[in-house]
Amino acid sequence: MKKLAVILKEKLESGFEQAGYDAQYGMVSVSNRPDLCQYQCNGAMAAAKQYKKAPIQIASDVIEQLKEDSSFEKIEAVAPGFINITVSGSLLVEMAGTMMTEEKFGLECEKKPKKVLIDYGGPNVAKPLHVGHLRPAVIGESVKRILRYMGDDVIGDVHLGDWGLQIGLVLTEVKHRQPDLPYFDETFSGEYPQEAPFTISDLAEIYPYASSYSKEHEEYLLEAQQMTAKFQDGDRGCLALWNHILNVSIPNLKENYRKLDVEFDLWKKESDVQGYIPDMVEKMKADGVAHESEGALVVDVTEESDKKEIPPCIVVKSNGATLYATTDLATIVEREKLFSPDEIIYVTDKRQALHFTQVFRAAKKAGLTKKETELLFLGNGTMNGKDGKPFKTRDGGVLPLQKLREDVCQKVFEKMKDNRDYAEEEAREIAEKVGLAAIKYGDLSNQIAKDYIFDMDRFTSFEGNTGPYILYTIVRMKSLLAKYEKEGGRISENGDPALLLPPENGSETDLFLSIAKFADTMEAAYEEKAPHKVCQFIYELSDSLNRFYHENKILGNEDAAKKQSYLQMLVLVKNMLEQCIYLLGFSAPERM
């Protein structure tokens, strides 16, 4: 289906051409004066110099060609040469009807879909998710859904960190606390216990303690580094404990992601790519891509266009140890081998921008991907507290993500109980959905790279630009449609375009114009990997719907034809909003 802006552009191009001017001047944009018109064309101003005519004369010539066109309710030339456009109700009805009947509301998806792999989890095992993991998970899930909706073949990977110093720190601390465990007895040759010697709660305390202690005690850090090397060299006891860490951590991670409605197709780990590293490193050396520098093996990645020097990408440290960069490069090798993607997208903290610049350049220089494979870094800003600093607990600790979700859901629950009489169980179920919408919409309504303030009171408000407000709008339509059916009415799942009537007032027209922006929104969100564009759209659409609801009688309308037309619009808007919130990663309850 052609977008409304495209239809108008083609009309204006034709008008310019018929009037004897170049069609290129028929560009149309949304009016910056909505009080005067809906769309505008400024082409006559640009054409004046070429044709040595007054802009108003050119605009008048164009309008003369279009004044009988039924697509326009009104089209006029305004000094000094603007063309103001008001779309006809018949065109708006035609478009809305097409959106009802066509898949994806008439959206034209990619003709050449891409295979995309998106890396958007990145948590380390041995510790629970915390608030720093929220943005990559929420943004990545939404970007994945948007790309899939637009036709791409998308694979989501959690990419767990399970091979670095954090494992050595945990093993060291477990040894300090439980030195008699058989895992640390080099003479032990029996079967190790099947049950882990720690719980997820233990790990949640062990890792932060070990990490903090190692920063203040050099001998402890050295011991952890030696333990890491021992583990990575395949020590039997260390590997058995490592498997316990995985078996305790991963189910907890999966449950937390499930409650966030975040799903991964792959649960790949750093350890999965260790086998690729030796051959990769040897090839880099043989091809002259990597060279020794102060004992380390590095790849120079600085380019002439750089405004500041980019440090070399270290592939192997002077002591023979590998780094995150090594693992990330080996992961690219594996992804190329297993999936041959057209694009790999990484969603993580924007403070890792330099790391990924180094990795991407090293990967391309070493030929680890096809030349045409795009490597894209989506760096997200931080979620901050009201003090403008990264979100912390009152005692200065890192807030577990589960605790944040529970606190938000409890806040929503309390607001609901204050205003409605719900049974406890139902209220909790609704609060879970509304709380998740509050968190995700509060995050995604911001541009990815921007930091934002997490304001629980604002995010959980049922008014304004919030997730609960969007859900309340959807539930309001669901309730009204359910009431209509309870009274004996029947309405199809997608609405009946034959029952639509042209808008007769401002709130009706605004609603038609709002839904017409769907395709533009989706294309922009897809091209820019920008979920906030979807948030902007559904907020504006919700506002238009609520004005329409308040200014027009719907079920009580005495004009049967108008009543039916209104109901069809409600179905269309409800379906569109529900599709959009799915793309953002949450859903609406049946009532609120």
Side-chain angles (χ1 to χ4, degrees), residues 472-516:
Y472 181 73
T473 301
I474 295 171
V475 170
R476 166 176 274 172
M477 286 183 283
K478 285 185 174 182
S479 299
L480 192 146
L481 292 168
K483 183 178 179 181
Y484 173 69
E485 292 191 332
K486 189 175 181 181
E487 293 172 353
R490 292 290 179 268
I491 192 163
S492 66
E493 184 179 349
N494 296 319
D496 185 348
L499 298 176
L500 286 176
L501 297 176
E504 294 182 352
N505 60 46
S507 64
E508 290 181 57
T509 300
D510 287 346
L511 190 56
F512 274 96
L513 289 171
S514 292
I515 64 171

Side-chain angles (χ1 to χ4, degrees), residues 70-90:
S70 62
S71 299
F72 306 108
E73 180 75 27
K74 184 179 179 182
I75 183 166
E76 59 181 347
V78 178
F82 300 113
I83 298 176
N84 289 353
I85 303 165
T86 300
V87 182
S88 69
S90 60

Side-chain angles (χ1 to χ4, degrees), residues 120 136-145 261-263 440 583 585:
Y120 63 102
V138 168
I139 293 166
E141 181 69 19
S142 182
V143 170
K144 180 187 73 177
R145 294 185 184 199
D261 201 1
V262 171
E263 297 178 351
K440 287 194 167 185
L583 298 177

Side-chain angles (χ1 to χ4, degrees), residues 530-592:
H532 77 276
K533 300 274 186 182
V534 180
C535 293
Q536 290 173 352
F537 169 73
I538 61 175
Y539 177 55
E540 292 173 10
L541 181 56
S542 295
D543 260 5
S544 294
L545 184 281
N546 285 313
R547 284 196 302 274
F548 168 80
Y549 176 87
H550 287 298
E551 293 180 15
N552 300 280
K553 283 186 178 181
I554 300 177
L555 293 185
N557 202 306
E558 296 175 358
D559 185 327
K562 188 173 287 188
K563 174 180 174 178
Q564 283 301 319
S565 179
Y566 287 173
L567 287 169
Q568 311 315 308
M569 283 297 290
L570 288 187
V571 171
L572 175 56
V573 175
K574 177 188 78 71
N575 291 344
M576 190 174 286
L577 285 174
E578 287 189 311
Q579 177 61 63
C580 287
I581 65 171
Y582 171 78
L583 298 177
L584 296 175
F586 55 91
S587 59
E590 291 304 310
R591 72 183 192 120
M592 284 170 68

Side-chain angles (χ1 to χ4, degrees), residues 20-170:
Y21 306 109
D22 195 314
Q24 68 170 324
Y25 295 113
M27 298 299 294
V28 173
S29 60
V30 175
S31 173
N32 55 21
R33 286 290 306 275
D35 54 318
L36 299 178
C37 59
Q38 298 160 352
Y39 289 85
Q40 66 187 56
C41 172
N42 303 337
M45 311 283 284
K49 184 175 182 180
Q50 178 180 343
Y51 293 100
K52 297 180 173 55
K53 279 188 177 181
I56 191 66
Q57 180 59 55
I58 295 174
S60 299
D61 292 344
V62 173
I63 284 172
E64 187 64 26
Q65 309 301 318
L66 300 173
K67 62 183 181 181
E68 302 300 327
D69 193 311
S70 62
S71 299
F72 306 108
E73 180 75 27
K74 184 179 179 182
I75 183 166
E76 59 181 347
V78 178
F82 300 113
I83 298 176
N84 289 353
I85 303 165
T86 300
V87 182
S88 69
S90 60
L91 178 57
L92 292 175
V93 164
E94 180 184 342
M95 290 200 67
T98 302
M99 295 176 94
M100 284 181 176
T101 56
E102 291 193 6
E103 186 181 5
K104 298 182 180 179
F105 310 102
L107 177 67
E108 293 184 2
C109 295
E110 286 295 295
K111 291 182 174 63
K112 292 183 178 179
K114 295 183 291 186
K115 174 167 277 189
V116 181
L117 197 145
I118 179 166
D119 180 330
Y120 63 102
N124 289 327
V125 299
K127 54 181 180 177
L129 297 176
H130 57 74
V131 291
H133 294 113
L134 176 67
R135 297 213 72 193
V138 168
I139 293 166
E141 181 69 19
S142 182
V143 170
K144 180 187 73 177
R145 294 185 184 199
I146 290 169
L147 266 55
R148 280 184 179 165
Y149 189 67
M150 294 297 289
D152 285 345
D153 177 11
V154 189
I155 301 166
D157 184 9
V158 69
H159 191 65
L160 297 173
D162 73 327
W163 200 248
L165 178 61
Q166 78 273 14
I167 300 297
L169 286 166
V170 172

Side-chain angles (χ1 to χ4, degrees), residues 301-443:
V301 294
T302 299
E303 296 178 355
E304 289 184 9
S305 59
D306 292 334
K307 293 182 179 178
K308 61 180 181 180
E309 186 178 356
I310 305 295
C313 179
I314 302 174
V315 180
V316 181
K317 293 172 68 174
S318 58
N319 63 2
T322 57
L323 303 92
Y324 280 124
T326 324
T327 304
D328 282 337
L329 288 167
T331 301
I332 290 173
V333 173
E334 183 188 55
R335 288 169 174 170
E336 187 70 30
K337 177 182 177 181
L338 298 181
F339 306 107
S340 189
D342 300 303
E343 184 174 38
I344 306 176
I345 302 172
Y346 295 79
V347 185
T348 188
D349 193 305
K350 66 183 179 183
R351 289 172 290 190
Q352 294 190 39
L354 175 60
H355 166 78
F356 281 102
T357 296
Q358 293 170 309
V359 168
F360 292 171
R361 290 184 180 183
K364 288 297 184 183
K365 193 170 182 179
L368 304 185
T369 69
K370 302 184 297 294
K371 287 184 179 180
E372 60 271 22
T373 302
E374 184 177 359
L375 302 174
L376 177 65
F377 173 63
L378 282 183
N380 60 261
T382 57
M383 184 183 85
N384 297 330
K386 291 184 179 180
D387 60 358
K389 298 177 181 178
F391 203 89
K392 299 282 187 182
T393 59
R394 289 182 179 178
D395 61 2
V398 179
L399 183 68
L401 191 48
Q402 179 177 340
K403 182 68 166 59
L404 175 73
R405 188 184 58 78
E406 290 172 351
D407 288 350
V408 171
C409 291
Q410 179 62 28
K411 183 79 170 181
V412 170
F413 173 78
E414 290 168 0
K415 288 187 176 185
M416 289 170 52
K417 293 291 283 184
D418 289 342
N419 293 285
R420 296 285 179 90
D421 185 21
Y422 288 104
E424 174 90 10
E425 184 178 357
E426 182 186 13
R428 291 288 180 190
E429 289 177 359
I430 295 172
E432 284 285 325
K433 287 194 170 186
V434 178
L436 185 59
I439 292 170
K440 287 194 167 185
Y441 189 90
D443 188 296

